[in-house]
Amino acid sequence: MKVFSQIVALTLFSLLISSELYSQGGKATLIRIQTPSQDALRDLTVRGFDIIETKEGVYSEVIAFEFDLKRLDALGISYEVLVPDLTKFYLNRAGGWRSGKTLRIGDGTKMGFFNLDSMYLFLDSLQAAHPTLISEKDSIGQTILGRTQWMYKVSDNPETDESEPELLFTGLTHARESGGTTALLYFIEWLVTSYKAGDAEAQFLVDNREIYFVPVVNPDGLAINDSDTTARGGGGLWRKNARDNDGNGIFER
């Protein structure tokens, strides 16, 4: 593997060097906190709260678990509850959308997206069907909970280190953002099936590039959401990894 790929492995391994170990957080609640200044917003950010929306100079909306609410209470920070149970909210909203529809995405769990097991089953099956275009999965390290971070390579000689430009695609740094990984899986499928069908663009990419995929940077976080039986249809709302790190450029924390 080239130096580039070694750097990738070191970067992903640094996900393990972050702060406190995740503890089960209970249900997720959407709250609003007044942040009238940049200092107030920065304080929430530094403390690691899961901010999903901000109206500058007015408020920030946060997805909070039970331990987050206890932290806010201990800090004396007041908040307004907007949605008491986000899982129930999304399940109710998704009910009508899923009714009568057959989804190709994933195995139908997690609002139709892949869970961790079904995602690797999809990729391993795709690799077995196209072994001359997709490498066998390669470990780039393990998480704090012992899960392997897997990488796949797509190229015309996937098991050979060639002198070609390299591309890297990653997904699911944030555990509840399954759309990115889903796009990667179907991009891989498009590359290999279109290549064999004679598509000129796919053939150019596969013949002239070494394309690396790490579809799940954060398998611990995804597994946390998979294991949340109350959120099985909604996918779970945990965003960070098992060390409570959200991966936004602060892997070393």
Side-chain angles (χ1 to χ4, degrees), residues 24-147:
Q24 185 62 38
K27 71 178 180 181
T29 300
L30 181 64
I31 63 173
R32 178 175 291 174
I33 300 172
Q34 298 303 309
T35 50
S37 67
Q38 284 295 320
D39 286 341
L41 177 58
R42 189 178 300 110
D43 183 59
L44 288 180
T45 303
V46 169
R47 294 180 186 277
F49 288 103
D50 187 357
I51 301 170
I52 63 168
E53 183 178 347
T54 294
K55 185 173 183 180
E56 187 173 357
V58 184
Y59 63 78
S60 296
E61 293 185 358
V62 172
I63 292 181
F65 292 85
E66 291 174 8
F67 63 88
D68 292 314
L69 299 179
K70 290 178 181 178
R71 289 174 61 203
L72 289 169
D73 291 339
L75 291 167
I77 298 175
S78 60
Y79 53 87
E80 174 189 359
V81 175
L82 301 179
V83 181
D85 189 333
L86 273 173
T87 296
K88 184 180 296 184
F89 169 81
Y90 285 122
L91 284 172
N92 290 338
R93 191 175 73 172
W97 174 74
R98 296 182 66 181
S99 178
K101 292 189 177 182
T102 301
L103 300 178
R104 185 188 170 212
I105 303 173
D107 61 1
T109 64
K110 300 172 69 62
M111 285 191 179
F113 291 107
F114 290 89
N115 61 24
L116 191 60
D117 291 338
S118 65
M119 183 209 62
Y120 284 126
L121 177 62
F122 176 92
L123 283 171
D124 290 344
S125 299
L126 195 62
Q127 191 278 330
H130 305 278
T132 61
L133 298 177
I134 306 175
S135 71
E136 293 190 12
K137 61 188 177 187
D138 186 23
S139 169
I140 61 170
Q142 287 192 318
T143 68
I144 187 175
L145 298 183
R147 292 186 177 87

Side-chain angles (χ1 to χ4, degrees), residues 3 15 44 80 84 90 127 135 150 154 156 171 184 210 238 247:
V3 173
L15 271 170
L44 288 180
E80 174 189 359
Y90 285 122
Q127 191 278 330
S135 71
W150 294 110
V154 175
D156 57 339
L184 289 186
E210 292 188 316
W238 183 250

Side-chain angles (χ1 to χ4, degrees), residues 22 24 110 115 147 220-232 235-236:
Y22 166 79
Q24 185 62 38
K110 300 172 69 62
N115 61 24
R147 292 186 177 87
D220 284 348
L222 181 56
I224 287 168
N225 284 335
D226 288 347
S227 67
D228 183 357
T229 56
T230 65
R232 178 59 62 185

Side-chain angles (χ1 to χ4, degrees), residues 169-216:
F169 293 90
T170 66
L172 257 168
T173 296
H174 297 152
R176 65 171 179 249
E177 298 172 8
S178 296
T181 286
T182 302
L184 289 186
L185 300 192
Y186 292 138
F187 179 43
I188 296 172
E189 183 183 50
W190 176 85
L191 279 172
V192 297
T193 56
S194 297
Y195 181 91
K196 289 188 173 180
D199 182 271
E201 186 174 11
Q203 289 183 340
F204 175 83
L205 289 171
V206 173
D207 287 340
N208 296 281
R209 298 291 185 270
E210 292 188 316
I211 311 173
Y212 295 91
F213 293 88
V214 181
V216 179

